[in-house]
């Protein structure tokens, strides 16, 4: 036979709070209402600025639809700048690489061939300048100049003197005679003497000399020391070994000489020659 179950009594839903101890001071302190302190705030002056702090999670990171096109345009600028910067850097690097390779090539050629500039001097001068001494304009000046080119300092470098060079002889800045330099090739460790006939124009030297210059020329001829200047402009090409050749450049040579007479075979005393050429400054000194 089944047992009978009796319902249990219901428990109260809430239990009343325990009575507070009889302490009037603590009860009044705990039950006193909180009041906000009253402060008198002055209104801010007109035109004052305010700083508004916005949390990071509330900052909009997506542009609004009306600004999206402008945002994309501005966002694409750094990419174009990076591409332009990379292109400029690449061009500069390529240019620097070419310079380094060219410098290395030139340095290697210099170390292998050790080029040196040939030396020049005036070996002799055969002068017929009676018109200058006599003041006769019908007698032009004729000079046969023998120029000595010494390439003995170069072991592997030859000099190819091209045709079309010009040679002139002057006195006190007045040109007496001019001529052409013949074309020839000078091998390494070679000394070559080139003869060049020079002719003055009719009435050229005599007409251009002043009375003072004529008197000085006659006095120096009587003493046996007439200073003359021999100038030459010759196109040359340098041969480095059997394969390498440079481009054709003009070489300027200037020699100061002193002759003992102005008629016949004169003995030339060289005072020094200078050679100048700009495109080959690294080789020609």
């Amino acid at each position: 036979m089944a047992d009978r179950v009796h319902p249990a009594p219901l428990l109260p839903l809430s239990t009343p709070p325990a009575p507070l101890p009889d302490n009037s001071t603590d009860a009044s302190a705990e039950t006193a209402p909180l009041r906000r302190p009253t402060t008198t705030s002055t209104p801010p002056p007109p035109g004052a600025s305010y700083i508004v702090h916005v949390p990071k999670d509330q900052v909009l990171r997506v542009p609004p639809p009306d600004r999206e096109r402008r945002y994309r345009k501005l966002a694409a600028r750094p990419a174009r700048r990076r591409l332009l910067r990379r292109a400029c850097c690449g061009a500069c690097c390529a240019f620097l690489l070419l310079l380094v390779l060219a410098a290395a090539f030139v340095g290697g050629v210099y170390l292998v061939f050790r080029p040196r500039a040939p030396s020049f001097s005036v070996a002799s001068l055969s002068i017929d300048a009676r018109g200058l001494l006599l003041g006769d304009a019908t007698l032009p000046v004729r000079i046969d100049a023998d120029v000595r080119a010494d390439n003995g300092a170069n072991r592997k470098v030859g000099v190819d003197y091209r045709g079309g060079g010009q040679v002139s002889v002057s006195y006190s800045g007045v040109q007496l005679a001019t001529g052409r330099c013949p074309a020839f090739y000078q091998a390494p460790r070679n000394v070559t003497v080139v003869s060049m006939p020079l002719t003055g124009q009719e009435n050229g030297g005599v007409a251009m000399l002043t009375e003072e210059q004529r008197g000085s020329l006659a006095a120096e001829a009587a003493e046996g020391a007439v200073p003359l200047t021999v100038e030459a402009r010759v196109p040359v090409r340098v041969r480095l070994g059997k394969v390498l050749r440079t481009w054709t450049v003009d070489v300027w040579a200037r020699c100061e000489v002193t002759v003992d007479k102005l008629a016949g075979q004169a003995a030339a005393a060289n005072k020094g020659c200078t050679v100048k050429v700009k495109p080959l400054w690294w080789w020609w000194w």
Side-chain angles (χ1 to χ4, degrees):
M1 187 174 181
D3 296 333
R4 181 177 296 178
V5 179
H6 299 277
L10 298 176
L11 297 176
L13 295 178
S14 61
T15 304
L20 296 174
D22 191 8
N23 193 348
S24 61
T25 305
D26 296 340
S28 62
E30 291 183 0
T31 58
L34 297 178
R35 296 183 180 181
R36 185 175 300 176
T38 58
T39 57
T40 57
S41 60
T42 59
S49 58
Y50 299 90
I51 299 177
V52 180
H53 296 278
V54 180
K56 292 184 178 180
D57 55 351
Q58 297 183 8
V59 177
L60 295 178
R61 301 189 180 276
V62 178
D66 56 340
R67 299 286 183 174
E68 184 177 2
R69 182 178 179 183
R70 181 174 178 82
Y71 171 76
R72 291 180 180 178
K73 183 178 179 180
L74 295 177
R77 286 185 178 180
R80 291 198 299 266
R81 291 178 181 176
R82 284 195 298 269
L83 292 177
L84 182 60
R85 191 182 299 112
R86 291 176 183 176
C88 293
C89 293
C92 293
C93 293
F95 181 71
L96 291 178
L97 180 61
L98 291 178
L99 288 181
V100 171
L101 293 178
F105 176 77
V106 172
V109 170
Y110 177 79
L111 292 177
V112 171
F113 294 98
R114 295 286 182 177
R116 293 292 183 271
S119 60
F120 299 94
S121 62
V122 179
S124 63
L125 290 175
S126 180
I127 305 175
D128 184 5
R130 292 172 297 174
L132 294 178
L133 297 176
L134 300 176
D136 189 357
T138 60
L139 298 175
V141 179
R142 292 184 177 87
I143 301 175
D144 292 333
D146 294 337
V147 179
R148 183 176 183 269
D150 187 358
N151 195 30
N154 292 308
R155 299 180 179 181
K156 301 179 181 180
V157 178
V159 182
D160 189 5
Y161 295 88
R162 317 291 288 181
Q166 187 176 3
V167 183
S168 63
V169 177
S170 59
Y171 170 78
S172 297
V174 178
Q175 191 177 84
L176 303 180
T178 59
R180 294 288 182 179
C181 179
F184 66 97
Y185 171 72
Q186 188 174 22
R189 292 187 174 184
N190 178 263
V191 178
T192 305
V193 178
V194 184
S195 298
M196 293 172 286
L198 311 177
T199 306
Q201 298 180 357
E202 188 175 356
N203 299 334
V206 178
M208 296 181 66
L209 286 177
T210 62
E211 293 295 335
E212 183 179 357
Q213 290 176 341
R214 292 177 186 175
S216 300
L217 180 62
E220 292 167 348
E223 296 177 358
V226 180
L228 298 177
T229 302
V230 180
E231 296 178 327
R233 182 193 60 82
V234 184
V236 301
R237 180 180 294 177
V238 180
R239 295 186 184 182
L240 304 173
K242 298 181 179 180
V243 180
L244 298 179
R245 294 185 182 183
T246 63
W247 56 92
T248 302
V249 295
D250 290 337
V251 175
W252 286 270
R254 179 186 178 95
C255 298
E256 301 290 341
V257 298
T258 301
V259 297
D260 57 349
K261 55 184 177 180
L262 295 177
Q265 189 70 26
N270 291 270
K271 294 184 178 180
C273 296
T274 58
V275 180
K276 293 182 180 180
V277 57
K278 293 182 179 179
L280 293 179
W281 59 269
W282 54 272
W283 177 78
W284 205 287
W285 56 70

